[in-house]
C-alpha cells in the first residue's frame, strides 16, 4: 500500500547548507509537500516512507538569511540521530533519539540594507518583517508537518541572540542581547505540530554573560499561537532556587518581537529563595547586603506585561524573624529603562 526505503547508515562530514529566504518564495512546508490542489488531482497516490537507522553528522554548518530582517548561523561539531522515520504523505517525522555535541547558534536582527554597516542604530522588527518570517516559522505554511523526538541531548553548546543592533549593556542582564555558554540540555517527548510545540525538559544548564549560572532547569513547556506556558518549573542556580509555573502571552507569534514591553507575563511561585548577590549580577545593582543573605519567596502571584506588572499577592521572608506580606505594581522592571514600584503592605514584622 505504500513505497518504502530503508537506509542503514548515513554519514555527513564537513557539510555546509545555506538558505536565503526572499519575498514571494514558497513556505518551507509548501516546497516539501504537494499542494492541496495537487493532492486532489492525485488521490490515488500512495504513501511513501523513508527510514534511517543511524545518521552521523560531523562539522555541519547552516546559514539562513531572511531578507532585511533576521539571520541565523549555526554549526554542529558532532551529532548522532537514530531510528528516524519520514512519512511523506502527509509529512510526519519521528526520531528515536538525538545527541548533539558542540553546537552553536547565532540569531540576530540585521540592519536595514540601505543603512551604513558602521552606524550603530536600533532597528526594531516591523510587523511586515515578522509576517514574512512567519511564512517559514513553525506555524506558517499550508501543509501540516508533525515531528516527534523521543529523546534529545545537547552538550557543550553556545547560543547568541541579538534583538536589536545596539551594543550590549556593559553589566547586568540585557533583555535584547543574550549570550549563553556551556549549554547542556536533556529532554524528551518533543512534539511539533502546525499549531503547538511541546517539550519535556529534564535538565538544562548554562551560563549567561551577566555572570548568572543555571545549574539545573526542568519543566514542561508548551508554545502555541498565543501563549508560552511553562509548568512544573524548577530552576536552581549557585545560590537561588525557584519553583512554580509561568508563561508569556502575545496576540500572535509573528508579532512577538514588535514591542517586547507589551508582552503579557504571568507566574505563580512558591517555596523559593533568591540570593541578593545574584540579584546584583542580574540587575547590575550594588545592594549593601551580606552576599550570604537571601530573600525567601514563600508565595508569589503576578500578572500583567513586561512594562506594567501587578503582583496580586506576595509573601517574603529573610532571616528567622522578618517577613512581609503585600501586593505591588512594578513598571519597567524587565526593560532597560527606569524602574518604579508601588505597593501596599498587609503584614510586616521583624
Amino acid at each position: 500500500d505504500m513505497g518504502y526505503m530503508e537506509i542503514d547508515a548515513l554519514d555527513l562530514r564537513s557539510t555546509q547548507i545555506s538558505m536565503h529566504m526572499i519575498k514571494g518564495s514558497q513556505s518551507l512546508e509548501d516546497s516539501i509537500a504537494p499542494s492541496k490542489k495537487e493532492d486532489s488531482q492525485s488521490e490515488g497516490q500512495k504513501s511513501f516512507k523513508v527510514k534511517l537507522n543511524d545518521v552521523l553528522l560531523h562539522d555541519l554548518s547552516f546559514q539562513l538569511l531572511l531578507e532585511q530582517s533576521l539571520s541565523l548561523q549555526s554549526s554542529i561539531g558532532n551529532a548522532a540521530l537514530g531510528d528516524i522515520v519520514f512519512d511523506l504523505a502527509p509529512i510526519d517525522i519521528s526520531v528515536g533519539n538525538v545527541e548533539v555535541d558542540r553546537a552553536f547558534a547565532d540569531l540576530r536582527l540585521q540592519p536595514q540594507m540601505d543603512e551604513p554597516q558602521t552606524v550603530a542604530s536600533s532597528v526594531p522588527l516591523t510587523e511586515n518583517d515578522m509576517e514574512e518570517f512567519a511564512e517559514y516559522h513553525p506555524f506558517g505554511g499550508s501543509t501540516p508537518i508533525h515531528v516527534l523526538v523521543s529523546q534529545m541531548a545537547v552538550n557543550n553548546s553556545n547560543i547568541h541572540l541579538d534583538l536589536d543592533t545596539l551594543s550590549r549593556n556593559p553589566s547586568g542582564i540585557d533583555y535584547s542581547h543574550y549570550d549563553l555558554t556551556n549549554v547542556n540540555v536533556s529532554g524528551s517527548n518533543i512534539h511539533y505540530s502546525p499549531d503547538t510545540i511541546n517539550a519535556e525538559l529534564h535538565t538544562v544548564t548554562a551560563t549567561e554573560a551577566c555572570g548568572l549560572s543555571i545549574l539545573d532547569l526542568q519543566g514542561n513547556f508548551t508554545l502555541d499561537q498565543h501563549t508560552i506556558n511553562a509548568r512544573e518549573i524548577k530552576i536552581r542556580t549557585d545560590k537561588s532556587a525557584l519553583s512554580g509555573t509561568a508563561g508569556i502571552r502575545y496576540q500572535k507569534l509573528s508579532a512577538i518581537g514588535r514591542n517586547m514591553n507589551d508582552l503579557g507575563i504571568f507566574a505563580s511561585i512558591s517555596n523559593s529563595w533568591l540570593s541578593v548577590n545574584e540579584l546584583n549580577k542580574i540587575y547590575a545593582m550594588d545592594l549593601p547586603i551580606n552576599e550570604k543573605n537571601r530573600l525567601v519567596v514563600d508565595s508569589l502571584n503576578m500578572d500583567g506585561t513586561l512594562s506594567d506588572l501587578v503582583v496580586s499577592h506576595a509573601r517574603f521572608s529573610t532571616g528567622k524573624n522578618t517577613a512581609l506580606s503585600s501586593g505591588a505594581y512594578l513598571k519597567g522592571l524587565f526593560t532597560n529603562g527606569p524602574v518604579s514600584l508601588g505597593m501596599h503592605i498587609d503584614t510586616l514584622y521583624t
Side-chain angles (χ1 to χ4, degrees):
D1 294 330
M2 65 179 182
Y4 183 79
M5 178 172 64
E6 181 170 346
I7 300 174
D8 184 58
L10 178 65
D11 193 340
L12 295 179
R13 296 176 180 270
S14 302
T15 304
Q16 295 183 355
I17 301 173
S18 180
M19 298 177 66
H20 186 184
M21 301 282 191
I22 61 175
K23 294 178 181 179
S25 63
Q26 288 179 301
S27 68
L28 179 61
E29 293 90 335
D30 291 338
S31 65
I32 295 175
S35 66
K36 295 180 180 178
K37 181 178 179 181
E38 292 171 337
D39 283 343
S40 64
Q41 295 175 348
S42 56
E43 294 180 355
Q45 184 179 4
K46 301 298 183 180
S47 171
F48 191 87
K49 286 189 177 182
V50 178
K51 182 179 180 182
L52 294 169
N53 293 329
D54 291 294
V55 175
L56 301 177
L57 306 175
H58 307 277
D59 299 324
L60 173 69
S61 62
F62 177 82
Q63 180 178 10
L64 170 65
L65 177 60
L66 185 63
E67 188 177 22
Q68 296 190 9
S69 53
L70 294 172
S71 74
L72 170 65
Q73 293 188 3
S74 61
S75 63
I76 295 175
N78 294 288
L81 297 82
D83 299 326
I84 308 169
V85 177
F86 294 86
D87 189 343
L88 302 181
I91 299 177
D92 196 337
I93 303 170
S94 65
V95 183
N97 57 81
V98 176
E99 294 183 7
V100 178
D101 185 55
R102 294 185 294 110
F104 173 74
D106 187 332
L107 178 65
R108 62 183 63 198
L109 175 67
Q110 292 293 301
Q112 296 298 323
M113 300 302 290
D114 55 351
E115 289 185 356
Q117 296 295 315
T118 56
V119 177
S121 60
S122 179
V123 185
L125 290 172
T126 67
E127 185 170 7
N128 288 336
D129 287 336
M130 295 309 295
E131 291 289 354
E132 179 189 345
F133 181 60
E135 295 182 14
Y136 319 104
H137 196 276
F139 301 128
S142 58
T143 303
I145 293 181
H146 294 264
V147 180
L148 174 63
V149 178
S150 298
Q151 299 287 337
M152 180 192 71
V154 178
N155 300 307
N156 307 314
S157 300
N158 301 313
I159 300 174
H160 184 87
L161 175 63
D162 287 327
L163 296 178
D164 62 32
T165 55
L166 296 175
S167 300
R168 181 189 170 101
N169 288 343
S171 59
I173 197 166
D174 188 327
Y175 294 98
S176 295
H177 305 273
Y178 298 90
D179 205 343
L180 298 170
T181 57
N182 300 319
V183 178
N184 300 277
V185 180
S186 173
S188 64
N189 297 324
I190 302 165
H191 182 218
Y192 160 78
S193 67
D195 55 5
T196 307
I197 297 176
N198 294 303
E200 297 176 12
L201 296 183
H202 305 309
T203 302
V204 177
T205 63
T207 299
E208 215 283 323
C210 70
L212 181 68
S213 294
I214 298 174
L215 303 182
D216 187 23
L217 184 155
Q218 54 186 275
N220 299 323
F221 295 82
T222 300
L223 183 151
D224 59 34
Q225 299 188 47
H226 300 290
T227 59
I228 298 175
N229 264 309
R231 305 176 305 280
E232 301 178 13
I233 305 174
K234 293 183 179 179
I235 303 174
R236 182 171 60 86
T237 65
D238 187 33
K239 297 183 175 64
S240 302
L242 290 173
S243 63
T245 61
I248 296 174
R249 289 188 296 261
Y250 38 85
Q251 290 185 351
K252 53 184 178 179
L253 192 60
S254 61
I256 194 170
R258 262 192 308 160
N259 191 344
M260 299 292 290
N261 293 338
D262 290 336
L263 285 179
I265 182 172
F266 55 93
S268 178
I269 299 171
S270 61
N271 301 320
S272 305
W273 58 90
L274 300 172
S275 160
V276 173
N277 185 42
E278 290 183 334
L279 288 176
N280 284 339
K281 289 182 180 180
I282 295 173
Y283 292 109
M285 300 184 296
D286 189 19
L287 296 176
I289 300 177
N290 188 310
E291 67 173 26
K292 294 183 179 180
N293 287 3
R294 66 182 187 182
L295 180 67
V296 177
V297 184
D298 298 309
S299 60
L300 174 67
N301 295 311
M302 62 183 182
D303 201 340
T305 66
L306 288 178
S307 60
D308 192 354
L309 191 62
V310 176
V311 179
S312 59
H313 168 74
R315 179 176 173 80
F316 304 99
S317 60
T318 180
K320 294 182 179 180
N321 301 306
T322 299
L324 169 67
S325 179
S326 69
Y329 71 84
L330 302 97
K331 294 183 180 293
L333 180 63
F334 295 96
T335 67
N336 294 324
V339 177
S340 61
L341 165 69
M343 64 184 300
H344 64 81
I345 297 174
D346 299 325
T347 305
L348 171 63
Y349 66 86
T350 183

